[in-house]
């Protein structure tokens, strides 16, 4: 073989090897760039998710208690008893509130710690600043003298010292009289004095002795 041809083949072979190395380097660099882009995109998504999680932190309850049976006091005075399966407090929300979304049973006490009303509801919310209870679902109340109140939504304002509803309500009094209020009712906290809006019902009239001068009237 001619020495010139031999050197020429060696040079060509070296160039081919160099081109292969360059191609490999180019391929490797391209792969690295693609990997970096994927990782950067993934990190960006994580940052977005993290930012969203932080911004949603106020929507999480600051306290979550299961299986509650406790007394609630205000200024050293026991006001009511709460029994519930699930109690969440959202103190970071605006406005802050308590949530009882798996049902609640309340006993309301008077100043002498007598139970002047018992309350049941499927769902309840208590707004701390307003001192306002919102009761929803199957709401049932019974006062001290045995009158029963049933409605789908009811509010109890501790500040205004009244209980009220704009939903249809059924009241069964202790003498078995039944009163229906189409547009709700309004009452004092003890549920002893109340006004029923657009009422109708069945009333029980007690028998009176024949010689009595008293009469019963229904208005």
């Amino acid at each position: 073989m001619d020495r010139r041809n031999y050197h020429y083949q060696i040079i060509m072979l070296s160039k081919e090897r160099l081109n292969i190395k360059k191609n490999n380097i180019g391929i490797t660099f391209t792969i690295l760039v693609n990997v970096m882009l994927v990782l950067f995109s993934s990190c960006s998504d994580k940052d977005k998710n993290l930012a969203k999680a932080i911004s949603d932190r106020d929507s999480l309850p600051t306290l979550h208690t299961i299986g509650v049976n406790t007394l609630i006091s205000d200024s050293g005075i026991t006001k009511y008893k709460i029994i519930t399966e699930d109690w969440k407090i959202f103190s970071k929300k605006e406005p802050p509130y308590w949530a009882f979304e798996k049902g609640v049973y309340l006993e309301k006490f008077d100043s002498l710690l007598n139970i002047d009303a018992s309350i049941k509801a499927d769902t309840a919310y208590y707004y701390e600043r307003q001192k306002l209870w919102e009761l929803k679902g199957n709401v049932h109340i019974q006062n001290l003298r045995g009158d029963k109140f049933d409605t789908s939504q009811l509010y109890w304002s501790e500040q205004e010292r009244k209980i009220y509803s704009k939903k249809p309500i059924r009241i069964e009094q202790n003498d078995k009289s039944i009163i229906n209020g189409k547009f709700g009712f309004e009452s004092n906290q003890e549920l002893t004095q109340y006004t029923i809006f657009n009422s109708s019902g069945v009333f029980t009239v007690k028998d009176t002795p024949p010689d009595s001068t008293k009469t019963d009237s229904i208005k």
Side-chain angles (χ1 to χ4, degrees), residues 8 28-29 58 69 88 92 107-108 114 139 141 167 182 191 194 202 213:
Y8 176 76
T28 303
F29 180 76
D58 291 349
N69 187 336
K88 295 177 183 177
K92 302 293 184 181
E107 289 180 349
K108 191 172 80 66
N114 296 313
V139 183
I141 303 179
K167 298 293 185 179
K182 186 175 181 180
L191 291 164
Y194 44 84
V202 178
T213 58

Side-chain angles (χ1 to χ4, degrees), residues 39-86:
L39 289 175
F40 180 77
S41 176
S42 177
C43 290
S44 298
D45 291 340
K46 287 182 179 179
D47 290 341
K48 290 179 182 179
N49 293 334
L50 181 60
K52 183 178 180 181
I54 292 174
S55 64
D56 291 343
R57 185 178 296 169
D58 291 349
S59 65
L60 299 175
T62 51
L63 178 66
H64 184 193
T65 308
I66 298 173
V68 178
N69 187 336
T70 187
L71 298 173
I72 302 296
S73 300
D74 187 9
S75 302
I77 301 174
T78 302
K79 304 195 71 173
Y80 40 83
K81 179 179 183 180
I82 295 178
I83 300 175
T84 183
E85 181 183 340
D86 190 88

Side-chain angles (χ1 to χ4, degrees), residues 7 28 35 69 77 93 98 104 116 118 139 150 155 160 163:
H7 286 298
T28 303
V35 170
N69 187 336
I77 301 174
K93 296 284 284 186
W98 302 351
V104 67
D116 59 16
S118 60
V139 183
D150 291 281
Y155 294 92
E160 299 179 11
I163 294 175

